[in-house]
Amino acid sequence: MGVDIKVKISAFCRELADASLESLARDAGQMEIYTRARTALESGTIEPTLEADIDALQAIVLAATGHGLYPTSQRGFGFLPGAARGHSAQMWLCPRAVCAGRGRVRPGQPTPTCNVSGEPLDPEQLAP
């Protein structure tokens, strides 16, 4: 089973918070790929080449560190038997709706920002 494009974009967005991925791309002589992917996200242009670029960056990271950008397992949410079906769980979502966001909203947590646009992420209710 392949990795969804939103998960790939989300993983790439997380890496933009520091210079590690950029440094790995530079060391591998692949700055063009890194720059093209970052520029695509900054401009809001999600083209078919973006997925190929992020996959190429995944291969660079995997070769350099032994660990890739993408999560190795999927997590799901389900209700316990007999539990009420309503909940107030929220997730941080990308304001441009291009990536998978950044995890669960926690009480008192400062609002994180998008590593691409700098916009605050949106807290959204999880669907039951």
Side-chain angles (χ1 to χ4, degrees):
M1 184 170 120
V3 178
D4 184 75
I5 184 63
K6 285 193 174 194
V7 173
K8 292 178 181 185
I9 292 172
S10 184
F12 179 66
C13 284
R14 276 191 307 274
E15 294 300 318
L16 296 177
D18 65 38
S20 300
L21 180 58
E22 181 178 357
S23 178
L24 287 173
R26 183 176 291 110
D27 293 347
Q30 300 295 324
M31 270 305 287
E32 180 181 340
I33 292 171
Y34 174 86
T35 303
R36 189 170 52 227
R38 184 176 185 128
T39 301
L41 287 182
E42 288 171 346
S43 70
T45 307
I46 308 302
E47 297 178 4
T49 57
L50 178 61
E51 185 169 15
D53 288 344
I54 295 174
D55 286 342
L57 293 167
Q58 156 81 351
I60 291 167
V61 172
L62 191 57
T65 67
H67 302 283
L69 298 174
Y70 313 146
T72 56
S73 63
Q74 298 288 331
R75 291 184 251 168
F77 174 78
F79 293 100
L80 294 172
R85 294 291 182 210
H87 63 82
S88 61
Q90 291 183 314
M91 298 293 286
W92 291 113
L93 297 180
C94 176
R96 295 182 180 195
V98 294
C99 74
R102 190 160 322 136
R104 190 168 70 88
V105 175
R106 300 188 189 286
Q109 176 186 22
T111 302
T113 58
C114 176
N115 290 330
V116 173
S117 69
E119 298 172 56
L121 298 183
D122 298 324
E124 294 288 334
Q125 196 79 18
L126 281 175

